[in-house]
Amino acid sequence: DHVLIMRVRNVLQSEILCLGLLEEDCKDLKSLSIERRLTNIKVNADSNLKDPKRKFFLNAPAVFKPFIGEGYRTTLMTELQKGRMWGFEQSQELGALAVNIRSTVVKLSSGDLWVHAPLFPTEEYVEMLTSLESPIKHIVLPTYALEHKLPIGGFVKKITERTGIKPKVWAVGHTWSFPIDLPLSWLGIPIDGIIGESEIPWESEIEFEILKIDDVGNPFVEAVFFDKKSKSLVLTDLVYSIPTDPPEVISPSLLLEVAPDDPNKPLPDSPKTRKQAWAKMALLIAFFIPARQRIVDGGKAEWAPGYMESFQAISGGLLVSPILRKLVFEKASPVVKEWVEKVTRWPFECIIPAHYAAPVKSSPGQFRKAFAFAIPGEEARVLPKEDMRTLDDLGEIIKAVGSSDGSLRCGLRQII
């Protein structure tokens, strides 16, 4: 279908797959000492414009703003476990779409900080980190995904200049780039060790398992981490749970732009309007082209009734990205199942992802259920059939066009 291919091509030029989670407390907050508390820093997601403390520099082309060069992001700091674990969030934007992106920081028993998937090093973010008054010794690159890879070089440089201590960078193996597969050193990312191959000094406190799928062109790879003390699973994009409310760092002006069903009839700012906009963003992130959205003259979106029902079907509870599920994981079910069996041996009680809200209450059984589609005999979560139509068609296109060298699928996965 020529129209479908053209629409998919246009969508692939956008960064609209960023993952995340439902904001829930972990089990037994008192015993875990896990709290979700905002810092005293007031966040105004529409106040980024030319604030020097929120400036960063993107040194390689990307599909999210600012695409390359100078950009601005607000940072939100959240204490996840009192005095020991924190989350730092920024907003990742493309056009009128946005999602939060999170770095998780853990204080090890030595007092050193372990930083999972650091964000772009704005002055505001670096000041928040250094306010913890602990040396930043370890940085983790857990995946090949561009949004988690590009901040690291600048982050290492900024932290070294600020503290006089150069952190060590621990990366998963087999990372890659598309369309040009550049080594990490060419992206300014210094690697001190490979997770799963090198001796890891923090492994006695934070264990890991790596999901690597080889038969999809360049490999899909992501490491997940189990922090023993908090019984928390720290990950990036493998699983999420969509909240009904937009993350705090998302710009209200972007939400108001997306909210109307008729683009020619703007809506007043209200909690209901923002929730409606967030539902649309979540559907675009999950399905590329939701069933009840259509593009009208001027390139704006018009929405038909029924999209809130689709949103309700994917919000709440743990969910594997429909895109990853359809285009990557279902084609490698035995590998996924084996990895799930390893992860669910850990006695975790919550999950802290790199997107949307955290922590998310979850048991190993609930995690396993999220991946039921890869486990024979288990009942998988049902996704909205009409919204899945584009992904189903895209899967067939990839099978037909990209089967020889995997290039089309690789290009798609670098975006997701």
Side-chain angles (χ1 to χ4, degrees), residues 6-42:
M6 291 296 290
R7 294 189 73 187
V8 168
R9 186 196 67 183
N10 291 337
V11 170
L12 294 183
Q13 294 170 351
S14 305
E15 174 69 68
I16 59 174
L17 179 65
C18 303
L19 310 174
L21 296 169
L22 175 68
E23 182 172 1
E24 296 181 23
D25 293 328
C26 288
K27 179 181 178 183
D28 193 358
L29 297 183
K30 186 174 181 180
S31 64
L32 279 175
S33 297
I34 292 183
E35 306 171 84
R36 188 182 188 281
R37 303 185 305 181
L38 299 183
T39 63
N40 292 328
I41 300 172
K42 177 65 177 175

Side-chain angles (χ1 to χ4, degrees), residues 166-171 190-194 198:
K166 182 179 179 297
K168 291 186 179 295
V169 178
W170 309 94
I191 300 300
D192 295 282
I194 301 298
S198 307

Side-chain angles (χ1 to χ4, degrees), residues 165 261 274 333 352:
I165 301 172
D261 292 344
R274 295 188 185 193
S333 291
I352 302 170

Side-chain angles (χ1 to χ4, degrees), residues 14-16 65 91-99 254 258 280-282 284-285:
S14 305
E15 174 69 68
I16 59 174
K65 290 181 180 177
S91 177
Q92 185 164 286
E93 301 175 2
L94 175 76
L97 289 179
V99 73
L254 292 181
V258 172
K280 293 174 180 178
M281 286 186 177
L284 285 163
I285 288 166

Side-chain angles (χ1 to χ4, degrees), residues 261 280 291-294 302-309:
D261 292 344
K280 293 174 180 178
R292 291 167 179 83
Q293 182 219 39
R294 71 184 187 95
E302 183 177 81
W303 292 79
Y307 63 85
M308 289 304 296
E309 286 77 3

Side-chain angles (χ1 to χ4, degrees), residues 24 47-48 77 89 105 123 125 127 154 156 164 176 214 224 229 236-237 244 274 280 300 319 353 359-360:
E24 296 181 23
S47 65
N48 289 338
M77 177 179 174
E89 298 174 46
V105 176
E123 184 67 20
Y125 174 37
E127 285 182 358
V156 171
W176 51 273
D214 288 308
V224 298
K229 191 168 185 178
T236 48
D237 303 327
T244 56
R274 295 188 185 193
K280 293 174 180 178
K300 294 185 178 182
L319 178 72
V360 174

Side-chain angles (χ1 to χ4, degrees), residues 37-95:
R37 303 185 305 181
L38 299 183
T39 63
N40 292 328
I41 300 172
K42 177 65 177 175
V43 173
N44 180 350
D46 274 339
S47 65
N48 289 338
L49 188 60
K50 302 301 181 183
D51 184 334
K53 285 200 167 186
R54 293 171 176 169
K55 182 171 71 173
F56 69 95
F57 192 83
L58 183 58
N59 65 354
V63 289
F64 48 82
K65 290 181 180 177
F67 309 113
I68 193 167
E70 184 180 288
Y72 295 83
R73 289 185 178 183
T74 298
T75 303
L76 170 68
M77 177 179 174
T78 304
E79 189 170 48
L80 299 172
Q81 183 183 30
K82 188 171 177 61
R84 186 177 176 276
M85 182 182 290
W86 300 265
F88 297 84
E89 298 174 46
Q90 295 175 354
S91 177
Q92 185 164 286
E93 301 175 2
L94 175 76

Side-chain angles (χ1 to χ4, degrees), residues 118-351:
L119 308 175
F120 283 106
T122 65
E123 184 67 20
E124 180 178 56
Y125 174 37
V126 172
E127 285 182 358
M128 289 177 177
L129 279 169
T130 55
S131 74
L132 300 177
E133 298 183 341
S134 297
I136 300 168
K137 289 289 188 69
H138 303 286
I139 296 171
V140 172
L141 172 58
T143 180
Y144 66 89
L146 198 63
E147 70 268 24
H148 302 297
K149 187 163 35 179
L150 289 181
I152 289 183
F155 182 82
V156 171
K157 182 179 180 181
K158 182 68 73 72
I159 294 300
T160 303
E161 291 172 351
R162 177 63 63 88
T163 67
I165 301 172
K166 182 179 179 297
K168 291 186 179 295
V169 178
W170 309 94
V172 292
H174 311 284
T175 61
W176 51 273
S177 302
F178 181 88
I180 302 174
D181 190 5
L182 299 175
L184 292 176
S185 60
W186 287 29
L187 296 174
I189 302 174
I191 300 300
D192 295 282
I194 301 298
I195 298 170
E197 299 178 16
S198 307
E199 184 177 348
I200 305 296
W202 37 263
E203 190 174 356
S204 62
E205 297 181 57
I206 302 176
E207 298 181 353
F208 58 85
E209 287 290 349
I210 299 171
L211 175 60
K212 181 171 176 282
I213 299 174
D214 288 308
D215 60 346
V216 285
N218 285 331
F220 175 95
V221 59
E222 180 177 330
V224 298
F225 302 87
F226 175 59
D227 176 51
K228 295 180 180 180
K229 191 168 185 178
S230 68
K231 296 186 178 180
S232 300
L233 197 65
V234 180
L235 51 80
T236 48
D237 303 327
L238 283 163
V239 69
Y240 59 89
S241 181
I242 301 174
T244 56
D245 293 306
E248 189 171 351
V249 292
I250 303 300
S251 165
S253 63
L254 292 181
L255 292 169
L256 291 176
E257 185 175 344
V258 172
D261 292 344
D262 183 339
N264 298 313
K265 297 179 180 179
L267 296 177
D269 191 6
S270 69
K272 181 180 178 181
T273 295
R274 295 188 185 193
K275 286 185 178 183
Q276 180 171 306
W278 178 243
K280 293 174 180 178
M281 286 186 177
L283 289 168
L284 285 163
I285 288 166
F287 298 114
F288 279 155
I289 305 174
R292 291 167 179 83
Q293 182 219 39
R294 71 184 187 95
I295 305 301
V296 296
D297 292 342
K300 294 185 178 182
E302 183 177 81
W303 292 79
Y307 63 85
M308 289 304 296
E309 286 77 3
S310 292
F311 176 67
Q312 290 166 7
I314 64 170
S315 59
L318 290 180
L319 178 72
V320 176
S321 157
I323 297 172
L324 288 177
R325 172 176 164 174
K326 181 65 185 179
L327 303 183
V328 181
F329 295 158
E330 286 184 357
K331 303 176 188 303
S333 291
V335 176
V336 174
K337 178 181 180 295
E338 181 181 359
W339 171 80
V340 168
E341 299 290 356
K342 292 177 181 178
V343 171
T344 53
R345 291 172 189 162
W346 291 322
F348 57 87
E349 296 178 346
C350 67
I351 297 176

